[in-house]
Amino acid sequence: MSYNPTPMPYAGASPQLDFMELNRSRDEIKKHLDNPKARAIIFQNGRPALTPQLTPFRVHPKKLIGQNIYDPGPVFLGLEDGQPLFAFHLAEGPSTLVKTDDFQELRRVGSQLNPADLAVLGRAKSFLDWHFDHNFCAKCGNKSHPELAGLIRKCPSCSTEHYPRVNPVVIMLVLHGDQCLLGAGHKFPEGAFSALAGFISPGETPEEAVIREVKEETGVDVTNPRYIFTQPWPYPSQLMLGFTAEAHAMDISLNKEELRAAKWVSKSTVRDVFNKTSQAFTRPPRYTIAYHLLRYWLAEQG
Ligand SMILES: [Zn+2]
């Protein structure tokens, strides 16, 4: 039996969204903005506006006229089921369009949203957060401008083009027989445990990063890192590469700078936690790749 989450939350920006990255002339974008079926999703302070049913609040882009919109203006996310979809970043303060309470923290409500909506919101959030944090050219320091309807930024002074950053991270379920190694970060809620994770260093393969990160965080030597699946993670813009790896032994030497705790947990305990018949630890939320790595392991024989 194998387990394959489809679609993975935040991944693929939902199957129905065509990014249209090659077709973003000013005329084309104007045509999309004028399309009566065009829609816009709205963010403020990194939070999307959601309906009471927890779907993205969608309005025609023209409704945003007169609102206080941050640079980059409309970001064209692509065609959703053939209709143009934009994202806007409203400046802070009251709006006549959306109530302040409608802007919700994605991490708090993520488990209640469907994966396709999370994918669209995650793509939009990564773009808007990147624009917000990268207003100035990293090369010469002058103000840069959005181009290609928010796909990139360009510096008018030195002509450098800046592309949105995606930072690769490995996240791994370390296994030893029927035990898996879970860790608790310093910011985790009390009792919460998840798969170990860490950023890939320049010049490193993901497999090398798995082996190094596990050793650094827990002192455990692992071998045979095996890629399982991937999740884009918009906090702010990581690409989580999910692996399993096999531990040589179970001795833990905890790096307290990196983790508050780490422990081995048996497959039967993980299964009981998922079935809510055990409170041995709090499992990762449903919208995380760590949740799906654990589900993948539970679905394996043994
Ligand atoms: Zn520049």
Side-chain angles (χ1 to χ4, degrees):
M1 182 179 165
S2 67
Y3 171 78
N4 190 15
T6 309
M8 173 74 80
Y10 296 117
S14 92
Q16 68 272 22
L17 191 63
D18 178 348
F19 294 174
M20 299 289 287
E21 298 212 343
L22 296 177
N23 204 349
R24 288 172 171 253
S25 67
R26 278 171 204 272
D27 286 349
E28 199 66 31
I29 297 303
K30 184 176 179 319
K31 203 171 82 190
H32 289 320
L33 284 166
D34 289 339
N35 184 331
K37 292 191 169 168
R39 289 291 175 269
I41 56 178
I42 307 166
F43 282 69
Q44 189 178 62
N45 253 336
R47 299 171 174 190
L50 300 175
T51 67
Q53 294 74 36
L54 294 180
T55 58
F57 182 78
R58 290 158 196 261
V59 292
H60 193 275
K62 293 240 163 102
K63 287 255 170 76
L64 275 297
I65 293 170
Q67 302 284 323
N68 193 4
I69 305 294
Y70 275 136
D71 171 350
V75 169
F76 181 45
L77 297 175
L79 296 179
E80 185 182 42
D81 292 328
Q83 312 302 340
L85 183 66
F86 291 86
F88 286 77
H89 191 174
L90 272 188
E92 287 173 50
S95 152
T96 53
L97 199 60
V98 192
K99 296 197 294 290
T100 307
D101 289 352
D102 294 335
F103 293 103
Q104 300 211 43
E105 178 57 56
L106 259 191
R107 272 183 148 158
R108 193 174 62 76
V109 297
S111 291
Q112 300 166 64
L113 271 67
N114 79 50
D117 283 340
L118 274 178
V120 169
L121 293 169
R123 175 170 166 82
K125 179 172 168 54
S126 282
F127 268 111
L128 294 175
D129 287 353
W130 172 70
H131 282 287
F132 192 74
D133 290 341
H134 294 81
N135 267 209
F136 294 89
C137 176
K139 198 166 181 182
C140 76
N142 280 296
K143 180 95 170 73
S144 61
H145 297 306
E147 294 272 342
L148 304 176
L151 198 64
I152 65 169
R153 298 186 72 86
K154 191 167 180 183
C155 174
S157 300
C158 72
S159 298
T160 301
E161 289 184 345
H162 299 280
Y163 291 81
R165 286 177 61 172
V166 176
N167 298 307
V169 170
V170 286
I171 180 162
M172 46 278 175
L173 210 50
V174 175
L175 305 173
H176 188 81
D178 78 334
Q179 307 275 319
C180 79
L181 179 60
L182 300 180
H186 289 287
K187 291 181 179 169
F188 281 24
E190 192 62 39
F193 279 81
S194 185
L196 304 179
F199 285 97
I200 297 177
S201 211
E204 189 175 49
T205 67
E207 288 80 2
E208 288 167 341
V210 167
I211 293 167
R212 177 184 55 76
E213 281 287 339
V214 176
K215 181 75 174 172
E216 282 178 7
E217 293 186 354
T218 63
V220 172
D221 289 308
V222 297
T223 187
N224 196 21
R226 192 159 67 89
Y227 170 76
I228 309 298
F229 36 57
T230 290
Q231 178 187 47
W233 183 246
Y235 304 102
S237 196
Q238 272 82 272
L239 185 66
M240 310 296 287
L241 304 167
F243 280 80
T244 58
E246 293 162 22
H248 297 188
M250 294 176 70
D251 298 328
I252 295 172
S253 171
L254 187 69
N255 180 341
K256 290 185 178 155
E257 302 258 308
E258 299 263 342
L259 293 175
R260 188 169 65 204
K263 63 179 179 181
W264 291 95
V265 184
S266 73
K267 195 176 231 183
S268 63
T269 300
V270 173
R271 187 172 285 122
D272 289 345
V273 166
F274 272 68
N275 290 337
K276 299 184 179 164
T277 55
S278 165
Q279 296 182 330
F281 67 95
T282 305
R283 64 159 173 77
R286 194 183 300 273
Y287 58 85
T288 62
I289 189 173
Y291 170 93
H292 293 285
L293 281 171
L294 286 166
R295 289 276 307 269
Y296 171 87
W297 181 52
L298 288 178
E300 281 190 325
Q301 296 294 333

